[in-house]
Amino acid sequence: MPISTVTVADPALSPQQRSQIAEATTAFHSAQMVDITADDVRIYLQYIPATRMIEFGRFLPAPGDEAEWEKVMSPEKRGSLPKQQQ
């Protein structure tokens, strides 16, 4: 049975968000192995505050401080980040 641990920065995930994580994780395992369904995948969600995670070599900012965090990135790296949906 495939086991996945998904780390999230938001402890208050909605049921829809949890379902989306489960669907995406199951789809990933299905692409890797034959005959895998949601019943065959075990997923653990663990919460770690953003300020205790590191991306691009630096601790992530607290929610709302992303603009300051991005200012010190190179223009190339900043341009490669996914665009936030409003």
Side-chain angles (χ1 to χ4, degrees):
M1 172 183 300
I3 298 175
S4 293
T5 300
V6 179
T7 302
V8 297
D10 183 356
L13 293 173
S14 70
Q16 179 183 5
Q17 290 169 314
R18 284 185 229 148
S19 178
Q20 289 170 335
I21 290 170
E23 290 170 13
T25 305
T26 300
F28 169 79
H29 285 298
S30 295
Q32 305 298 315
M33 300 177 220
V34 178
D35 298 326
I36 295 291
T37 68
D39 293 336
D40 300 314
V41 179
R42 188 178 300 168
I43 302 168
Y44 298 98
L45 294 179
Q46 64 183 13
Y47 164 67
I48 299 175
T51 55
R52 298 181 105 192
M53 295 182 196
I54 297 173
E55 285 187 10
F56 307 111
R58 293 176 296 129
F59 281 96
L60 289 175
D65 293 341
E66 293 86 356
E68 284 297 316
W69 183 77
E70 288 182 10
K71 279 184 185 178
V72 297
M73 287 182 176
S74 70
E76 296 80 19
K77 181 55 70 182
R78 194 172 29 252
S80 72
L81 297 175
K83 303 298 181 226
Q84 296 261 340
Q85 294 181 353
Q86 300 295 327

